[in-house]
Amino acid sequence: MPMRVVPTAIPDVLLIEVDAFRDDRGVFYELHRQPHYSAVGISDRFVQDNFSRSTHGVLRGLHYQLEHPQAKLVTVLSGRVFDVAVDVRRSSPTFGQWVGCELSGDRPQQLYIPPGFAHGFCVLSESADFLYKCSDIYAPSGERGIIWNDPSLAISWPIEDPHLSAKDRAFRTLGDMGADLPR
């Protein structure tokens, strides 16, 4: 199999190492082949691809969908990011816990984030190109978010003063979300 699964502190979130084929021309690797993911227990059908390019210090998140929860398969194509997944499923034994890892375009890795998790990342390099597959379509009416620096989460972001959108600055803490959390 051309990929390896590395467990994270939250068993539902998986770090995936993809085999890369390098030679004097550059590098080649598959970003997605459904049978390989199914073989390791990832059965989500991805229906939407999203791309963002961000500059150093940008932090996007922590976002999740309430009515159309999305599994995400994230890949950094160039640059480096610190990527975070927070379990916001009220009935989960890992509710309120987070995992974070550095993803780089120099290392073909992906992070699988199941539905029911808030997701965010910050850019550590001059810029970063970020691609993520989603298992459901984006529905603006169902978008929710948690403030990046929620003290109850105590995420160890590697930046202190991120560049945020107005929407991301206005998010509330996990404790303030109440019924706006998945079961």
Side-chain angles (χ1 to χ4, degrees), residues 96-109:
Q97 295 179 26
W98 63 274
V99 293
C101 63
E102 184 176 314
L103 298 175
S104 169
D106 294 335
R107 291 185 319 266
Q109 294 179 318

Side-chain angles (χ1 to χ4, degrees), residues 82 84 98-101 122 124 148-150 153-159:
F82 182 69
V84 172
W98 63 274
V99 293
C101 63
C122 66
L124 305 175
W148 71 280
N149 60 352
D150 180 340
L153 298 177
I155 297 172
S156 298
W157 294 104
I159 59 175

Side-chain angles (χ1 to χ4, degrees), residues 144-183:
R144 301 292 187 275
I146 299 166
I147 190 72
W148 71 280
N149 60 352
D150 180 340
S152 72
L153 298 177
I155 297 172
S156 298
W157 294 104
I159 59 175
E160 292 182 23
D161 188 24
H163 180 68
L164 302 165
S165 69
K167 176 181 72 174
D168 289 355
R169 269 195 308 276
F171 287 148
R172 301 173 293 162
T173 65
L174 180 62
D176 291 334
M177 296 309 292
D180 279 344
L181 292 171
R183 293 186 185 137

Side-chain angles (χ1 to χ4, degrees), residues 78-164:
S78 68
R80 293 183 310 115
V81 307
F82 182 69
D83 200 83
V84 172
V86 179
D87 190 347
V88 295
R89 303 169 297 179
R90 289 179 288 191
S91 61
S92 172
T94 56
F95 174 76
Q97 295 179 26
W98 63 274
V99 293
C101 63
E102 184 176 314
L103 298 175
S104 169
D106 294 335
R107 291 185 319 266
Q109 294 179 318
Q110 299 172 316
L111 192 64
Y112 169 74
I113 304 165
F117 280 73
H119 173 250
F121 67 92
C122 66
V123 178
L124 305 175
S125 52
E126 185 176 325
S127 67
D129 289 344
F130 193 85
L131 175 72
Y132 55 105
K133 303 181 92 44
C134 299
S135 65
D136 204 340
I137 58 168
Y138 170 71
S141 64
E143 184 178 35
R144 301 292 187 275
I146 299 166
I147 190 72
W148 71 280
N149 60 352
D150 180 340
S152 72
L153 298 177
I155 297 172
S156 298
W157 294 104
I159 59 175
E160 292 182 23
D161 188 24
H163 180 68
L164 302 165

Side-chain angles (χ1 to χ4, degrees), residues 59-74:
L59 190 148
R60 295 180 185 264
L62 298 159
H63 306 143
Y64 64 97
Q65 291 281 122
L66 193 58
E67 283 92 23
H68 292 271
Q70 299 173 315
K72 294 179 180 173
L73 184 63
V74 303

